[in-house]
Amino acid sequence: TTFYRTKMSKAQMQTTYDRDVAKYNYMISPNPFCTEVFQSAFRIDRARLIETGYPRNDFLSHFSEQDVLQMKRKLHLPTDKKVILYAPTWRDDHFVRKGYYQMKMELDLKLMQERLGEEYVVLLRMHYLIMNVLDIHAYQGFAYDFSAGSDIQELYLVSDLLITDYSSVMFDYANLRRPIVFYTYDIDAYRDSLRGFYFDFEKEACGPICRTTSEVVEAIEKQAIWREEYAEKIASFHQKFNHIDDGSASKRILEIVLDRSRQEQHDDH
C-alpha cells in the first residue's frame, strides 16, 4: 500500500505491523478467508489465530424491535422514518498529518433530501481518522452527524440501509441481512493506485455499486427489485464472510483462551 505524503514506505509499514503483532498472544479471525489473509498481511503464525467470528457482532444477533425503538429515542431520531447510515472509510491520499485525515462530503445531501426526505433520514458516520467537522446545518432534521462519540453497533441496528464504500463496516452490517449500497465514486483510483482489494470487490459486492449520488438514490428507491436480483450474491457474501457470526463469538473465544491457558499451566507442571 502506498501512503501518499506520509513518506512511510511499505517496508516501514511492515515493520510497524511486525512490532505490534509481536505483542499479541492471539488474533481473532471472523472467517477462513480472513484467517488466510491475516497470515500474509500481518505475518502472524496460524497458531495465534482464533477463528471464532467477531465478539463485537454478537450484539447484532441479540436485539428486539423494542431495543431498536429505544436506541432511536436515545439518539433523538424520528421514529416515523426509515434510517440510512452512510459510513465510508478514509483515503490514504487525504493525509494531513499523523493520525489526521480530511474527507470531502462526496454524497450530495441536497439531492438525497429532495428525493428521499419524505421517507428517510441519513446518519453520517465518518471513519475515526477523519478529523474535519462536517457542515450539515442546511440539512437539519434530515442529516445527523454521529461521527464522534457514537457506538457504530447501535447505528447499525437503527439503520434500515447502509451506504458505504470499501469500509469493513460492510462485513459487520451484512450480518443484519439488510440492504447495502456501495458508493464508490473513486473506485478506479482506489483499486488501481491507492489500495486495491483482497477479493474481487466488483464481482462479489452484495449490493449495487454506484459512482454518483443519483445512482445511490435510484438504488435506494428500487431496493425491492435489486434485492431479489442480488439474492445469490448476498447469500454467497454471507457464507464467505459472516457464517461464523452467530452471536456466540465471545463465548467461544473465552472457552478457547481459557482452555489453552489451562493446557499451558498443565504443561509447565
Side-chain angles (χ1 to χ4, degrees), residues 163-196:
I163 302 172
T164 189
D165 44 22
Y166 325 106
S167 172
S168 63
V169 302
M170 73 174 83
F171 305 111
D172 295 338
Y173 193 83
N175 281 286
L176 293 171
R177 302 296 188 97
R178 297 174 186 172
I180 302 177
V181 175
F182 296 93
Y183 181 36
T184 55
Y185 52 88
D186 59 349
I187 189 169
D188 295 331
Y190 195 93
R191 179 193 59 231
D192 302 332
S193 305
L194 206 56
R195 285 214 157 200

Side-chain angles (χ1 to χ4, degrees), residues 63-123:
F63 69 93
S64 65
E65 290 305 313
Q66 186 61 31
D67 292 330
V68 174
L69 185 60
Q70 289 178 354
M71 286 178 198
K72 283 186 175 182
R73 288 170 176 163
K74 171 187 169 184
L75 297 170
H76 304 290
L77 297 173
T79 57
D80 60 342
K81 289 192 176 183
K82 294 178 183 178
V83 178
I84 298 167
L85 173 62
Y86 178 45
T89 192
W90 54 290
R91 305 296 196 275
D92 302 74
D93 54 351
H94 290 181
F95 176 81
V96 177
R97 59 179 182 271
K98 185 178 180 181
Y100 189 116
Y101 291 77
Q102 289 188 334
M103 186 170 182
K104 179 185 175 184
M105 174 55 70
E106 297 289 347
L107 196 66
D108 186 341
L109 293 177
K110 184 175 185 293
L111 178 61
M112 295 274 290
Q113 186 173 30
E114 290 173 354
R115 297 269 296 272
L116 303 171
E118 290 295 319
E119 188 177 358
Y120 292 92
V121 294
V122 175
L123 315 186

Side-chain angles (χ1 to χ4, degrees), residues 64-261:
S64 65
E65 290 305 313
Q66 186 61 31
D67 292 330
V68 174
L69 185 60
Q70 289 178 354
M71 286 178 198
K72 283 186 175 182
R73 288 170 176 163
K74 171 187 169 184
L75 297 170
H76 304 290
L77 297 173
T79 57
D80 60 342
K81 289 192 176 183
K82 294 178 183 178
V83 178
I84 298 167
L85 173 62
Y86 178 45
T89 192
W90 54 290
R91 305 296 196 275
D92 302 74
D93 54 351
H94 290 181
F95 176 81
V96 177
R97 59 179 182 271
K98 185 178 180 181
Y100 189 116
Y101 291 77
Q102 289 188 334
M103 186 170 182
K104 179 185 175 184
M105 174 55 70
E106 297 289 347
L107 196 66
D108 186 341
L109 293 177
K110 184 175 185 293
L111 178 61
M112 295 274 290
Q113 186 173 30
E114 290 173 354
R115 297 269 296 272
L116 303 171
E118 290 295 319
E119 188 177 358
Y120 292 92
V121 294
V122 175
L123 315 186
L124 308 175
R125 173 59 185 257
M126 301 298 105
H127 191 277
Y128 69 90
L129 288 177
I130 303 298
M131 303 303 291
N132 56 303
V133 178
L134 301 173
D135 183 6
I136 58 171
H137 288 95
Y139 311 103
Q140 189 172 3
F142 173 69
Y144 299 77
D145 187 2
F146 286 102
S147 297
S150 58
D151 183 345
I152 196 167
Q153 302 285 14
E154 292 188 353
L155 300 184
Y156 290 155
L157 284 191
V158 301
S159 301
D160 298 282
L161 179 145
L162 171 69
I163 302 172
T164 189
D165 44 22
Y166 325 106
S167 172
S168 63
V169 302
M170 73 174 83
F171 305 111
D172 295 338
Y173 193 83
N175 281 286
L176 293 171
R177 302 296 188 97
R178 297 174 186 172
I180 302 177
V181 175
F182 296 93
Y183 181 36
T184 55
Y185 52 88
D186 59 349
I187 189 169
D188 295 331
Y190 195 93
R191 179 193 59 231
D192 302 332
S193 305
L194 206 56
R195 285 214 157 200
F197 303 105
Y198 278 108
F199 67 103
D200 193 333
F201 174 77
E202 291 166 273
K203 180 180 178 181
E204 299 182 49
C206 56
I209 295 175
C210 307
R211 290 176 179 257
T212 66
T213 301
S214 181
E215 290 179 1
V216 169
V217 170
E218 185 175 354
I220 293 171
E221 291 174 334
K222 297 181 178 180
Q223 59 185 280
I225 298 173
W226 64 256
R227 285 280 286 174
E228 290 186 15
E229 296 174 351
Y230 274 79
E232 271 190 38
K233 283 191 175 183
I234 292 170
S236 296
F237 193 91
H238 178 80
Q239 182 58 34
K240 183 172 184 175
F241 299 112
N242 300 118
H243 68 284
I244 301 179
D245 281 326
D246 59 0
S248 298
S250 299
K251 180 175 182 291
R252 283 193 292 271
I253 289 166
L254 285 172
E255 289 174 348
I256 291 170
V257 171
L258 290 174
D259 183 63
R260 290 187 182 183
S261 178

